[in-house]
Amino acid sequence: MKPLKDGLILLIGAKSYGALRYRGSPTSGRAWGGPMNGQGGRVRLVAELLLKTEPVAIVETGTYRGTTTEWLAAFQLPVYTCEASGLNFGFSRARLGVVPNVHMLHMDSRSALRHLLTGPLSAQLDKPILFYLDAHGSQDLPLAEEIDIIFPTASRAIVLIDDFQVPDDPGYAYDDYGPGKLLTPDYIAEGVARHSLQCFYPRTPAERETGTRRGCIVLAKHADIIATLEGVANLRQLDAPAKG
Ligand SMILES: C[S@@+](CC[C@H](N)C(=O)[O-])C[C@H]1O[C@@H](n2cnc3c(N)ncnc32)[C@H](O)[C@@H]1O
């Protein structure tokens, strides 16, 4: 860290420093070329998921600078988003604090999910809820725990994991945090088996995707949700070929 930044954070705290950063440079919120990593195919996929599954709420883990949060909020559903870093939380709160349907939590994703499922979302656990899991970026990978928190409780959950391997399309990038922490089907295999999940992948091939071309996976367990996902044109299961 730079000495000036360090000193300011010590003096005013990380959240206030994040808010100052937003006010000084609001456009630095345009991380990765726009919402959903600047990926046009992903934007279409999530928009179609929202239209067809009709969730009552959206939960994002990993707010970062609020770029995807802001886009999700335009669908006029309650959006809950959590962020562990004080700086990123402060930045996003300065950016989105006035948006009435955005609810921001400065929390670890696992604590935030437990809090939401036992609190604000507890009366809607039998309704579809879209979870956008994007709280990765360090050795402490919360993903497997996030799956174990969501599925026993939110029966009609639709879970989209960003930065995930698309096994038959090497053009999609995915995250690697070292041995045993590669965002591949192996990493979530136990959770998929334990909760009897069905897995879907983007139908758009990486060569036709834009932006940073990060892969993703969509998980669901409820038969009604699975039937709906089978009708989502922008999704496919692995035995179905990608097509543009
Ligand atoms: C890839 S960025 C999220 C990008 C954001 N969703 C977007 O589309 O613009 C990951 C964010 O997750 C946060 N993060 C990492 N681990 C976390 C955890 N366990 N709980 C909450 N946030 C976490 C990081 O601080 C970082 O801001």
Side-chain angles (χ1 to χ4, degrees), residues 32 60 62-64 68 83-84 88 107-110 134-136 142:
W32 300 295
E60 175 189 36
T63 316
Y64 189 54
T68 294
E83 171 58 52
N88 291 338
M107 283 174 110
D108 173 79
S109 62
R110 293 151 284 204
D134 200 12
H136 15 272

Side-chain angles (χ1 to χ4, degrees), residues 51-80:
L51 289 171
K52 291 194 170 155
T53 63
E54 299 187 79
V56 293
I58 302 170
V59 178
E60 175 189 36
T61 62
T63 316
Y64 189 54
R65 301 297 169 90
T67 300
T68 294
T69 320
E70 183 179 60
W71 180 78
L72 290 169
F75 289 87
Q76 302 301 317
L77 292 165
V79 176
Y80 298 88

Side-chain angles (χ1 to χ4, degrees), residues 36-37 39 42 45-46 49 59 61 130-136 141-144 146-147 150-151 158-166 173-175 182-185 187-189 192 197 199-202 214-220:
M36 300 283 158
N37 318 312
Q39 296 180 211
R42 176 75 69 77
L45 163 57
V46 175
L49 274 179
V59 178
T61 62
L130 179 70
F131 294 84
Y132 179 61
L133 303 186
D134 200 12
H136 15 272
L141 193 56
L143 204 46
E146 291 170 343
I147 290 171
I150 293 168
F151 279 107
I158 306 112
V159 169
L160 190 154
I161 304 172
D162 190 22
D163 306 306
F164 200 90
Q165 183 190 45
V166 179
Y174 56 99
D175 280 356
L182 202 57
L183 296 201
T184 64
Y187 173 74
I188 58 165
V192 166
L197 306 180
C199 305
F200 296 82
Y201 293 91
R214 310 294 297 173
C216 72
I217 187 171
V218 176
L219 305 171

Side-chain angles (χ1 to χ4, degrees), residues 182-227:
L182 202 57
L183 296 201
T184 64
D186 274 355
Y187 173 74
I188 58 165
E190 282 180 23
V192 166
R194 191 161 39 247
H195 307 297
S196 305
L197 306 180
Q198 291 283 318
C199 305
F200 296 82
Y201 293 91
R203 186 172 292 278
T204 303
E207 63 182 13
R208 292 192 177 220
E209 180 58 287
T210 57
T212 57
R213 294 197 176 94
R214 310 294 297 173
C216 72
I217 187 171
V218 176
L219 305 171
K221 86 168 174 189
H222 196 286
D224 293 350
I225 297 293
I226 291 165

